[in-house]
Structure formats: structure tokens, C-alpha cells
Amino acid sequence: MIPAAFVILLVGVGIGASGVGEQKAVANTKPAPTVTVTKSPAAEDGKARPAPTVTVTKTAKPKAAAPAKKPAAKPAEDEAPSGKVVFKVWGSAPAGVNTMYGSDSDSRDGSGLPMTKTLSVNDDALYFHVSAQLQGGGDINCSVTVDGHTKKGHASGSYNICTAQVNSNFTGGWD
């Protein structure tokens, strides 16, 4: 039985190895141009007829589509220097946006889009927040980053509010 199993194994390896080369040959073939020759019927009345025409059809690769316009670059996230808090608001607010940012004990006004503000980390702070209210419509995003921890928010439509807040935890870090 063992010799028979060994023979079957060798036959299987031989069949598997013979199929590999065929797949490569098929994958590497390129389409060849197609040649069409049109012959005119023989002249019975002895008058000259036009020579046969040759038509060559070449299959061309489609041109790559032009790259789409890149959307407005949004600020990089998770980037806050050590000991700093970064507050960001970006997007579109044609009628304007009212922005407030800071900590549980310090609140400040922000303005304009995009807005990026940086404050020093207050170790006594329980949280850092950003709040941006649309004035009439638009689509905005906001984020707060402390020590690599980022929280994000989004608002769209009339007078909606984007909020994001990073909280301190019991181990002295940020969530």
C-alpha cells in the first residue's frame, strides 16, 4: 500500500507542476492586432477595379481617468505637542460660526474657519472642550487633541452645534 500511495503522490505532483506553466503563458499573452482584407470581385468586363483594402484594428488600453479634485485638506489629527491641547474647527459655514474652546475652568472665543488654537495643558483640568455653532447653515467638524487622544464632532444644517470633549481619567491620562 505504501508504494502505491507514493506512486499516486508523484503522479499528483507531476499533474500539478504541468498546469503551472500553462497559466503563466496565458496570463502573459497580449492581444494581437486584427487584420481584415477585403477583396473586390473579379472584373468580368475587363475594367480595372480598385486594389483590395487592408484594415488594421488595434486594441488600445483605455486612458487613465484624470485624478479627482482633492477635497479641502482637513487638519491632521492626533498631533498635539507634549504638554499642549489642540482645538480645531474646519468645514464650511457661509453665514459664520460661533466657537468656544477651553477647559472646565477656562473658556475662550474662537473665530474663522479653519480654526486651530493651542493651549497649555492644565493638570488640574477635568476636561478640554470645543463647541462651534453654525449661524444659518453649513457643514463643520471639530476636534480636541491631548497627549495623542483625539475626540471629534460634526454638525450640519441650520444652527446645529459641533462639540468635542476630552476628559481626564483616574490614572492621570486622557480619554
Side-chain angles (χ1 to χ4, degrees):
M1 289 181 83
I2 293 175
F6 184 71
V7 169
I8 292 173
L9 176 68
L10 290 177
V11 169
V13 169
I15 291 172
S18 67
V20 173
E22 292 176 17
Q23 291 175 350
K24 287 182 181 177
V26 171
N28 291 333
T29 60
K30 294 181 181 177
T34 305
V35 178
T36 306
V37 178
T38 306
K39 293 184 179 181
S40 60
E44 293 179 15
D45 58 359
K47 294 183 180 178
R49 301 278 185 208
T53 59
V54 177
T55 304
V56 177
T57 305
K58 182 179 178 184
T59 305
K61 293 182 182 177
K63 292 184 180 181
K69 279 189 170 182
K70 292 182 181 179
K74 80 176 189 180
E77 296 167 6
D78 297 335
E79 292 181 9
S82 181
K84 301 289 182 180
V85 183
V86 177
F87 305 89
K88 296 180 182 179
V89 180
W90 68 96
S92 170
V97 61
N98 286 343
T99 305
M100 291 178 41
Y101 66 98
S103 69
D104 58 327
S105 61
D106 181 23
S107 187
R108 301 170 183 227
D109 286 332
S111 62
L113 286 179
M115 181 201 84
T116 301
K117 301 290 183 178
T118 303
L119 295 176
S120 295
V121 172
N122 177 354
D123 292 331
D124 294 334
L126 298 175
Y127 61 86
F128 291 98
H129 69 92
V130 64
S131 175
Q133 183 174 14
L134 291 163
Q135 298 300 304
D139 188 350
I140 58 173
N141 294 285
C142 58
S143 69
V144 179
T145 302
V146 183
D147 290 336
H149 297 286
T150 300
K151 295 296 181 178
K152 299 181 247 179
H154 176 256
S156 181
S158 297
Y159 299 97
N160 287 321
I161 302 171
C162 178
T163 60
Q165 179 172 309
V166 174
N167 299 310
S168 64
N169 61 27
F170 295 111
T171 64
W174 300 94
D175 292 326

